[in-house]
Amino acid sequence: MTWARARWLAGEAGGATVFACVALAGLIALTLVIGQVGVVVVARHRAQAAADLGALGAASVLAEGAEAACAEAAEVGRRMGVRVARCVVEQWDVVVVVEANAAFGVFGVRMVAAAARAGPVDESV
């Protein structure tokens, strides 16, 4: 083997290690991104469940008045760890909008919102 060829081969030493480190860093970053997306999806589902239960709870006490219905929705939201942003009563329909915090790790905390309606079935549809 010539001296120039031996020098060229020595320059390639460690190339696979560098590539493996870069690939591993990419996989770790991808895993973190997928984990953050999962956190947001779970927060959105929890907010939707709280909105659904809040609207059903409000509709169950609607005979006592709109204030009692919205108070029930707020209580259900409080127990589920969300904030009721809006509660609207129109005739026998109750619309509840809730907001919940979703932690994005290094990106901070963002709000996710969900809405639900509860009331009698519309027979004309």
Side-chain angles (χ1 to χ4, degrees):
M1 184 182 315
T2 66
W3 179 79
R5 180 145 171 89
R7 185 173 173 200
W8 180 76
L9 288 175
E12 294 293 316
T17 303
V18 172
F19 176 75
C21 289
V22 170
L24 185 60
L27 286 174
I28 290 171
L30 181 65
T31 302
L32 291 175
V33 168
I34 290 171
Q36 290 301 312
V37 169
V39 166
V40 173
V41 168
V42 168
R44 173 70 174 89
H45 284 257
R46 286 184 179 171
Q48 187 62 54
D52 292 341
L53 289 175
L56 288 172
S60 70
V61 296
L62 193 56
E64 299 173 16
E67 294 81 21
C70 288
E72 181 67 22
E75 177 64 19
V76 169
R78 184 190 65 78
R79 288 182 179 214
M80 293 194 70
V82 299
R83 182 180 70 84
V84 175
R86 191 171 50 128
C87 177
V88 178
V89 176
E90 295 176 358
Q91 296 177 355
W92 291 104
D93 289 338
V94 180
V95 177
V96 176
V97 178
V98 301
E99 294 176 342
N101 291 332
F104 278 95
V106 296
F107 301 113
V109 176
R110 301 281 192 255
M111 297 294 286
V112 293
R117 174 194 164 273
V121 175
D122 187 10
E123 295 293 333
S124 65
V125 177

